[in-house]
C-alpha cells in the first residue's frame, strides 16, 4: 500500500539520485523559471474516449483522446523504494477535496501539531490536504502537490496546482490509465515539455492554521480549457 505522496514538511524524504528512472542530470530538463508553470488543456469531444498515459522515466502525463493530446504535463512519481505501480488501471474514485488518512495534524484548541494518524493521542485529527484526488488503485492516485524534478513521492502522481483541476475535469470514473517506464509520446509530446522550477517545489507549505481549513482547497481562478 502506498502512503500519501505529498506530506507535511515534518516528514523528511531522502532525495532520490538524479540518475533514478533515467533522469541523469538537471541540465537536461527544461524548467519553467517562475511559479507560473501551466499546461493548456483542451475539451474532449467525449469523455468516454479519454485515456491517460504516464511515463515514469520521463515523469510526464499524457491525457489523450485518440491521437489528440488534451493535456501534456509534468508529474512527480514514486521513489525506487516507494514506486508508482505499473500496468493498466481505471479511475474508480474522484474526490475534489481529499485529505490524507495517514498524515495530518492533531488540533487541540489553538495548538496544531503535525502527526501520523496512527500516533494520535488526543485532539481532533485533520488530514493533510491532497486536492483533486483521482484514484486508480487502492491508496494510489493523481493529486495536487509539489512536482519535483526527481522521483519524490510515495507512489502517487503529483500534479502542479495550476494543472490538477484540469486533469480532474478531464477524467471520469472508468477512465483508462496506463503507467509504464516509457510511452511513445515521450519522443514527441514529451520532448518539448517543461517542468516546474524550484520556486514551486522548494516553496514552503502554507501555515498549519490554513492547512486544516477549507482555505487549503482553492478553486481555479482561470478557465480550465483553452479556446
Amino acid at each position: 500500500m502506498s502512503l500519501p505522496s505529498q506530506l507535511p514538511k515534518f516528514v523528511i524524504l531522502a532525495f532520490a539520485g538524479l540518475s533514478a528512472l533515467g533522469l541523469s542530470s538537471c541540465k537536461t530538463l527544461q524548467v519553467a523559471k517562475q511559479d507560473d508553470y501551466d499546461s493548456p488543456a483542451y475539451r474532449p469531444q467525449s469523455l468516454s474516449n479519454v485515456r491517460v498515459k504516464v511515463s515514469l522515466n520521463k515523469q510526464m502525463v499524457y491525457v489523450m483522446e485518440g491521437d489528440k493530446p488534451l493535456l501534456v504535463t509534468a508529474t512527480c512519481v514514486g521513489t525506487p523504494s516507494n514506486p508508482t505501480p505499473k500496468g493498466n488501471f481505471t479511475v474508480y474514485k474522484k474526490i475534489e477535496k481529499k485529505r490524507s488518512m495517514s498524515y495530518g495534524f492533531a488540533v487541540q484548541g489553538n495548538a496544531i501539531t503535525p502527526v501520523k494518524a496512527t500516533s494520535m493521542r488526543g485532539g481532533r485529527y485533520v488530514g493533510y490536504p491532497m486536492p483533486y484526488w483521482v484514484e486508480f488503485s487502492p491508496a494510489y492516485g493523481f493529486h495536487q502537490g509539489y512536482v519535483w524534478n526527481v522521483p519524490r513521492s510515495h507512489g502517487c502522481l503529483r500534479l502542479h496546482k495550476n494543472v490538477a483541476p484540469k486533469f480532474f475535469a478531464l477524467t471520469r470514473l472508468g477512465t483508462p490509465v496506463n503507467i509504464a517506464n516509457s510511452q511513445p509520446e515521450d519522443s514527441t509530446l514529451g520532448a518539448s515539455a517543461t517542468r516546474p522550477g524550484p520556486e514551486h517545489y522548494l516553496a514552503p507549505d502554507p501555515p498549519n492554521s490554513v492547512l486544516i481549513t477549507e482555505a487549503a482547497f482553492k478553486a481555479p481562478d482561470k478557465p480550465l480549457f483553452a479556446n
Side-chain angles (χ1 to χ4, degrees), residues 109-158:
N110 293 326
I112 306 171
T113 307
V115 68
K116 290 184 178 181
T118 54
S119 302
M120 284 287 293
R121 294 294 183 270
R124 172 173 59 94
Y125 175 77
V126 180
Y128 195 77
M130 301 165 68
Y132 300 106
W133 174 259
V134 178
E135 192 166 353
F136 59 87
S137 186
Y140 292 94
F142 300 83
H143 68 84
Q144 178 179 314
Y146 294 110
V147 181
W148 288 71
N149 60 7
V150 293
R152 180 80 174 186
S153 83
H154 282 93
C156 287
L157 293 154
R158 301 183 194 166

Side-chain angles (χ1 to χ4, degrees), residues 22 94 151 185:
K94 295 178 62 180
E185 291 79 8

Side-chain angles (χ1 to χ4, degrees), residues 22-199:
L23 297 178
S24 59
S25 170
C26 284
K27 295 181 180 178
T28 65
L29 300 174
Q30 300 183 59
V31 176
K33 293 182 179 180
Q34 303 295 330
D35 192 23
D36 57 0
Y37 178 84
D38 206 349
S39 301
Y42 301 93
R43 192 183 305 275
Q45 293 184 354
S46 173
L47 270 179
S48 62
N49 294 329
V50 173
R51 69 189 191 280
V52 176
K53 305 175 77 174
V54 178
S55 170
L56 297 177
N57 289 351
K58 196 73 172 179
Q59 289 203 109
M60 293 296 298
V61 173
Y62 309 107
V63 182
M64 309 291 294
E65 184 178 22
D67 294 330
K68 178 183 178 181
L70 301 177
L71 176 65
V72 176
T73 192
T75 187
C76 187
V77 305
T79 63
S81 58
N82 293 284
T84 299
K86 292 185 287 187
N88 293 307
F89 309 90
T90 57
V91 172
Y92 69 90
K93 185 183 295 183
K94 295 178 62 180
I95 305 174
E96 186 172 346
K97 297 181 179 181
K98 162 81 171 176
R99 287 189 177 275
S100 172
M101 298 178 65
S102 301
Y103 293 88
F105 305 93
V107 182
Q108 292 182 294
N110 293 326
I112 306 171
T113 307
V115 68
K116 290 184 178 181
T118 54
S119 302
M120 284 287 293
R121 294 294 183 270
R124 172 173 59 94
Y125 175 77
V126 180
Y128 195 77
M130 301 165 68
Y132 300 106
W133 174 259
V134 178
E135 192 166 353
F136 59 87
S137 186
Y140 292 94
F142 300 83
H143 68 84
Q144 178 179 314
Y146 294 110
V147 181
W148 288 71
N149 60 7
V150 293
R152 180 80 174 186
S153 83
H154 282 93
C156 287
L157 293 154
R158 301 183 194 166
L159 300 170
H160 190 278
K161 62 184 179 182
N162 292 336
V163 178
K166 301 176 183 182
F167 182 86
F168 191 87
L170 284 170
T171 57
R172 66 181 183 94
L173 301 185
T175 295
V177 177
N178 175 260
I179 303 175
N181 286 333
S182 63
Q183 298 287 354
E185 291 79 8
D186 289 347
S187 61
T188 54
L189 300 175
S192 58
T194 60
R195 301 191 63 82
E199 294 87 354

Side-chain angles (χ1 to χ4, degrees), residues 198-214:
E199 294 87 354
H200 159 67
Y201 55 77
L202 294 179
D205 279 338
N208 293 347
S209 57
V210 172
L211 292 175
I212 66 170
T213 70
E214 283 292 298

